Amino acid sequence: MSEQMWSEEMLDYAAANAADRFDLDQDEARDMVGMVSEALEEGGDAVDDAAWDVHQHDTSVPGEDFVEDVADSLGYDLE
């Protein structure tokens, strides 16, 4: 397994932002940030799949918005 791209502190920061923005429990947000960060590392279709997975995990969360928010928090350019 390769070393992750972002530090635990950065992932926690992204989770705190997501928890506030999407009205989530901190632990739930951190789990979903983990899914998204892995997809960002993989790239391509994995990012779209993560948006779908996030929405399936919590249907009150718009997956694409969540992925964009996490990417911004991590300094990742989705373009």
Side-chain angles (χ1 to χ4, degrees):
M1 186 164 173
S2 65
E3 187 175 324
Q4 67 184 25
M5 193 177 225
W6 295 282
S7 68
E8 288 300 316
E9 292 80 16
M10 289 182 75
L11 296 173
D12 289 344
Y13 171 77
N17 287 343
D20 288 343
R21 179 166 182 216
F22 297 99
D23 194 28
L24 299 169
D25 173 87
Q26 182 69 32
D27 290 335
E28 180 181 22
R30 183 62 178 81
D31 288 344
M32 292 174 13
V33 165
M35 286 191 292
V36 172
S37 68
E38 289 175 12
L40 294 175
E41 288 181 31
E42 189 174 327
D45 289 340
V47 176
D48 291 333
D49 292 345
W52 188 86
D53 290 342
V54 163
H55 185 68
Q56 293 303 306
H57 184 79
D58 185 330
T59 57
S60 71
V61 177
E64 289 180 7
D65 290 346
F66 189 89
V67 169
E68 288 174 10
D69 187 75
V70 170
D72 286 346
S73 292
L74 295 175
Y76 183 91
D77 186 6
L78 284 173
E79 301 301 317

